[in-house]
Amino acid sequence: MPGNSFGRNFKITSFGESHGPVIGVVVDGIPAGLALDLNKIQAQLDRRRPGQSRMTTARNEEDRVQCLSGLFEGRCTGAPLTLVIPNRDAKPKDYEHLRDQIRPSHADFTVMARYGFRDHRGGGRSSARETAARVMAGVVAASLLECIGVHCYAWVHSVGPHALTVPLHSGLASRGTTSGYEHHRHCPFTLEQIEASPLRCPDSYASSLMEAYIDEVRSAGDSTGGTVVGWCQGLPPGLGDPVYDRLEADLAKAILSINAVKAFELGSGFAMSAGRASDFNDAILAADTKEWSSVETLTNHSGGIQGGISNGQPLWFKAGFKATATVAIPQQSVDFQGNAVKLQAYGRHDPCVVPRAVPVVEAMMALVIVDHVLGWPAAQLSVLLKSIARP
Amino acid sequence: MPGNSFGRNFKITSFGESHGPVIGVVVDGIPAGLALDLNKIQAQLDRRRPGQSRMTTARNEEDRVQCLSGLFEGRCTGAPLTLVIPNRDAKPKDYEHLRDQIRPSHADFTVMARYGFRDHRGGGRSSARETAARVMAGVVAASLLECIGVHCYAWVHSVGPHALTVPLHSGLASRGTTSGYEHHRHCPFTLEQIEASPLRCPDSYASSLMEAYIDEVRSAGDSTGGTVVGWCQGLPPGLGDPVYDRLEADLAKAILSINAVKAFELGSGFAMSAGRASDFNDAILAADTKEWSSVETLTNHSGGIQGGISNGQPLWFKAGFKATATVAIPQQSVDFQGNAVKLQAYGRHDPCVVPRAVPVVEAMMALVIVDHVLGWPAAQLSVLLKSIARP
Amino acid sequence: MPGNSFGRNFKITSFGESHGPVIGVVVDGIPAGLALDLNKIQAQLDRRRPGQSRMTTARNEEDRVQCLSGLFEGRCTGAPLTLVIPNRDAKPKDYEHLRDQIRPSHADFTVMARYGFRDHRGGGRSSARETAARVMAGVVAASLLECIGVHCYAWVHSVGPHALTVPLHSGLASRGTTSGYEHHRHCPFTLEQIEASPLRCPDSYASSLMEAYIDEVRSAGDSTGGTVVGWCQGLPPGLGDPVYDRLEADLAKAILSINAVKAFELGSGFAMSAGRASDFNDAILAADTKEWSSVETLTNHSGGIQGGISNGQPLWFKAGFKATATVAIPQQSVDFQGNAVKLQAYGRHDPCVVPRAVPVVEAMMALVIVDHVLGWPAAQLSVLLKSIARP
Amino acid sequence: MPGNSFGRNFKITSFGESHGPVIGVVVDGIPAGLALDLNKIQAQLDRRRPGQSRMTTARNEEDRVQCLSGLFEGRCTGAPLTLVIPNRDAKPKDYEHLRDQIRPSHADFTVMARYGFRDHRGGGRSSARETAARVMAGVVAASLLECIGVHCYAWVHSVGPHALTVPLHSGLASRGTTSGYEHHRHCPFTLEQIEASPLRCPDSYASSLMEAYIDEVRSAGDSTGGTVVGWCQGLPPGLGDPVYDRLEADLAKAILSINAVKAFELGSGFAMSAGRASDFNDAILAADTKEWSSVETLTNHSGGIQGGISNGQPLWFKAGFKATATVAIPQQSVDFQGNAVKLQAYGRHDPCVVPRAVPVVEAMMALVIVDHVLGWPAAQLSVLLKSIARP
């Protein structure tokens, strides 16, 4: 069962191991004529890259994107677009001592059970380095979405116990049980605000608490989890399917396919399970234009999706990342000979990967949305393709 | 973009509207020779059916399963299996007053935006009645899984603010932030315990609190949400893929495709985002047999999956359902002419659908798992097919 | 590997056995709003039905189409459309003597090898009765195509050694090695001309030769093969893909998936293998409008497709059917106990199925084309959807 | 609609343009542990390469395979295998004069109609150079098939009017109307016999006639078509599906997706359309073992497939290639400004591509068969995986 492709209409196929020659991705289904700027891809790769700040790992991977196919005079041709980044910082010997070890809460055991043997060097396909392929493809998706005014954002909402305080634009009090994002008609933060924090948390006070917490966690040889919010602005109503291929179902799959993600909630999510319809139904407001298609909702607990289909309100969701499993604290485990062992990681490891995961969340969000856009009823879709200027 | 099929190796295609002649499902990819008991399907349909107790809606749908193809002398032939239930309780006039109304937090608006017109009678394909198709197919999947000793359970974990207290078999204290299920090597409840409660909550004290709460909510003309836990026992290690088709990613999609589900977490889920690796890594215990493939973990925060692949521990997850949007309390909305209106539901509506969703969660869980089983390496898969006695 | 679905954008899933309750099909991916006339489906089923004339089998199956889902007030809703025909003429005892027999050039042996057991009654899924499902779905596809002026035709080109003489509209001499269809810009026959012949061969002289030949073959207890031409008029240029999903590749798969088809050629086909480029290249003629997109070709050896993509000329191809394997002549074979036996068919059997296969060829052609149409660049596709009047 | 992938269980995704940096392919779904020899891939690429003899084009492309992912210590890891060949002989200026031209029977016109613009350099994705990707992936497929004793062969059966004379091993007279291959239980030729001819026609007399014919055609500035026979030896019975995904249907699609192929016939193909069941039914012979699964057929008109499923006899088919459209003879055409022009090709062009297409036919055959093998019932499939030695 081949499992390295994602998407039906905008299909990506990812390849490459963390310690092989390249990490790459083939993107198939791009409408011909789309202008693509490789610098945008590079910029997004740089956001995912380790070693951006002391908050993340000190490795300097310096990923440089190369295009192997599908681009002609700055435009996508409709042929498969292939993007790769050579692996430069591979140090196989760093991993030699792990050949026989089964690290707790890692994929060592399960990959062996699945495939019968494994490339022990840095996790092979299970390495988070694979997400670089997603980030590259995600920029192509985002470029398409920008043609119809759809923009994807993500930011760090919490690290360990510290969460940002959402500014309540509309002046309404936030419910204690929800995230507070349900009152916003526009993305509450700009990209600049997000990038101003080394943790990509656009709230300087929360960000400083998080920094201190990560420092403490690092000192303890430990690591911490966190949550990322994804936000999509400008989504027209009518995107998604009512049964299996619901927009939120495809999003959930996309987000849960990211390394270390263990939880997903759309809009007010689990908080809605603890409450009543009268608390969480989103009342509908008549539009000045008297057109039904222009109505808005008073709140947005639904996260922009009703019955699997976008309703024109901002789409927002939360992804829960567990702490990276590799820590300097000794852990009880077993080796592949069945002997009990104590494991302890040395070397460079992230105390908190959540800030680096922000562009990955953006990428998966853009991939899901563009996949639904390209499967759209054509009368609406033609608006998209008209806005792609042909050469 | 056809969106009414689910699964790659074990593929179901659902059809039928809540007020058409039938709800049905075609199941393709069943290994030839599988014995199938239609009574099991009927029993599971009865669990999903409205009107089982005063806790749910009073409609008596009385769904009777019929098999249209794929069964020969009690065994699946390898041809598509088609199962239908005729719709008997259709009362289109009950819905006539809704023709022009856009109900808050319903799919009325989004279906119109998606398709340009809609069957307003009971929600068409957006109706939860479609989940009967899933339940029927789910029993076929579960029958296959039973051949290899894999069993799927689900129960109500919480209704509104009331959650069950998980019995801590291993004597360890439950962390406040998690569900307590991380210490169990076996399903903590039997089917009998689950069914003993009208709410399918296998904790009589919690169940009685939930009943009282639902009564109160019903009296207020309101409805309430809740959570369901899914649990899979007997899953061998090695099931799933490491990149996009991770077992938990496919599960998340499956669960989020159920009506009213807004959130999903695997194992300790969001609680892991708020903590450290040292709190949530699952230490590995050496097996008596000294075989690496027989190891177990001390805890099961990971919910039975590492890196997208099953690790042989129980798989468990939680699904968050919002309250059904239809309530007797007047709500602010708009009609399709753009006029502001006050909406108020009359007639029979569920104050809490969560108990009826239990067999749906079981079905989607079984469908995802069997899909991965059939895509398994053959050396392991042959065990499965050998255990299907041929006629 | 589920193999009962066809199509990517317009997906059909077929179900039912020749001797089960129904033959049916689920059609997913129909644009919402398409008007559908069940009488058209019935009419096409009648063309496929046995017993239309003494040229075909005398069984009177009387297939009546029923719609189980997806239609609301005469229009497709965008939900899955389910169509079934009940099986009324099932006489299982007619087949009892075949339970242990392996009929030469039938699927008895291979189905047993594939599935380990089989429904011996009339061939199960291997029965040509399954093609009724295709015919029903094909009418839906054809209805969509008619909205953009695309029409699919088919007729009998040859039966045994007798082929029709193609009228050479343009006055050019036909090459001996080709079919003569390469000089036509419009379908050389009308539906009325085709239906005027009991053999669906629109050439009265050839038709009468074929009739006499079939009578002779029937008397000898034998059966005969033949060829069917498929023709698509009105196809705009630009449909298809240049690599794997070429229009002719998808057509070839569709046609070879019809029972008894053993060969396929596009345009001048095998004749082109025996000749030179200078004989078979299609010269291009400048259009009066001076627009490149309006050019035509002098000949149409290519059959309307270049490099996998339609070129705006008529699409035409030929399907080769072998004779039905069931004959009254004794044949050497083996039973499932391994004993040599002499087999001889009794009862009603077609001496020539080719005339009844005409609507099946039309159906598969329409299904392939509409699948590509719905995957079209949206700017072009929007023309299609605009022409579907919404209610 | 992404169209650059092929296969369901063994999925290849092809990328690269004839004048871009590389031609490549990602192969997903390879069972972990398969030993792979890159030299075998190189050898097969060399067979496809131009300039092998004076019979083909004089360009020296010298394609060198490189592996970018999925291989670890000589074995496939179960991760996507990526193979590329850098393009070295790109001379874009050779094609500059074609920027505005619409070459007859080429894809220039249709690609422009499909995508709205095109990479005019050497055909982009429509170039036959893309088939190098197929050849690389085909060797991986063939390596898997060899583990279960399945071998794929292909040879040139005819060039223009000259066909080989099939040696009649079994001493039976060949029917005039068929290919004569229907009497063989084993591949009539060895790879050495095939490779002994510069035309890959294992009949020295026919080969010399073909050579002379190609010389004549080249002198005339023309090109010629031909046919290739594909043959698969060792296929066990039970491979394929009875409805849409018939083995012959998937083969037909695969073969028609090769550039310049216009026709396909399985076994005796079109000849069967002109004859009777009594001429073409394959009588079944009892096996010495008295086991039904070991029976053989007296003839093999069916080409090794009955009802979509392999019957254990050799699989054989014929592919019809048209002459390459590029010729030195002036041809009537139009440019993209709508002006009538006379086109005439200069430079290096193949008078007959059929010998170079032999490895491409082998590749597509292997890809289709391995795709069905991996979708097989597991009890049989496990034989395959056991024979792949794990490290």
Side-chain angles (χ1 to χ4, degrees), chain C residues 81-261:
Chain C
L81 180 80
T82 307
L83 300 165
V84 296
I85 48 174
N87 288 323
R88 299 191 184 166
D89 194 31
K91 296 183 183 173
K93 67 179 180 310
D94 282 6
Y95 298 92
E96 197 55 35
H97 65 289
L98 293 175
R99 187 186 277 270
D100 277 338
Q101 293 181 353
I102 303 177
R103 291 168 295 167
S105 291
H106 263 281
D108 302 335
F109 175 83
T110 54
V111 163
M112 187 64 111
R114 172 75 171 83
Y115 295 105
F117 82 119
R118 73 192 180 105
D119 177 350
H120 63 279
R121 304 165 305 164
R125 288 295 286 166
S126 302
S127 165
R129 187 152 172 71
E130 186 276 334
T131 58
R134 307 177 185 212
V135 167
M136 293 190 284
V139 175
V140 185
S143 299
L144 244 171
L145 292 177
E146 284 168 17
C147 297
I148 48 166
V150 174
H151 298 272
C152 295
Y153 303 90
W155 56 84
V156 171
H157 178 77
S158 69
V159 166
H162 304 288
L164 65 72
T165 309
V166 187
L168 297 172
H169 288 177
S170 53
L172 297 173
S174 169
R175 288 174 183 286
T177 50
T178 67
S179 305
Y181 295 112
E182 67 271 17
H183 296 295
H184 293 81
R185 294 197 187 154
H186 296 284
C187 186
F189 308 114
T190 64
L191 182 60
E192 289 67 34
Q193 287 173 311
I194 295 165
E195 290 300 291
S197 154
L199 294 174
R200 297 205 167 91
C201 172
D203 172 334
S204 57
Y205 179 65
S207 182
S208 61
L209 289 177
M210 292 171 185
E211 277 195 69
Y213 179 72
I214 292 174
D215 281 339
E216 178 204 329
V217 163
R218 184 197 288 108
S219 306
D222 212 342
S223 67
T224 182
T227 59
V228 171
V229 163
W231 184 283
C232 179
Q233 190 73 35
L235 210 57
L239 213 69
D241 272 305
V243 186
Y244 299 108
D245 295 342
R246 290 170 192 244
L247 191 50
E248 71 267 40
D250 281 334
L251 269 172
K253 168 159 183 171
I255 297 301
L256 264 288
S257 80
I258 301 173
N259 299 49
V261 172

Side-chain angles (χ1 to χ4, degrees), chain D residues 12 28 47 62 69 117 120 217 240 253 257 271 295 306 381 385:
Chain D
I12 69 170
D28 198 8
R47 295 179 77 205
E62 195 189 355
S69 72
F117 80 119
H120 63 281
V217 163
K253 169 158 182 171
S257 80
V295 302
Q306 295 287 16
L381 183 50
L385 289 222

Side-chain angles (χ1 to χ4, degrees), chain A residues 9 216 222 253 276 278, chain B residues 1 216 222 250 276 278 331:
Chain A
N9 300 301
E216 176 202 331
D222 212 342
K253 169 160 181 167
R276 304 182 179 198
S278 55
Chain B
M1 195 162 60
E216 177 203 330
D222 212 340
D250 281 334
R276 303 181 180 199
S278 55
Q331 296 184 85

Side-chain angles (χ1 to χ4, degrees), chain C residues 51-67:
Chain C
Q52 301 169 59
S53 74
R54 69 184 175 86
M55 289 298 102
T56 60
T57 175
R59 274 180 295 180
N60 188 349
E61 293 187 2
E62 196 188 354
D63 300 328
R64 305 301 309 176
V65 63
Q66 294 175 11
C67 179

Side-chain angles (χ1 to χ4, degrees), chain A residues 195-238:
Chain A
E195 291 300 291
S197 152
L199 294 174
R200 299 205 167 92
C201 171
D203 173 334
S204 57
Y205 179 64
S207 182
S208 62
L209 290 179
M210 292 172 187
E211 278 195 69
Y213 180 72
I214 292 173
D215 281 340
E216 176 202 331
V217 163
R218 183 198 288 106
S219 308
D222 212 342
S223 67
T224 181
T227 59
V228 171
V229 163
W231 183 283
C232 179
Q233 189 76 34
L235 209 56

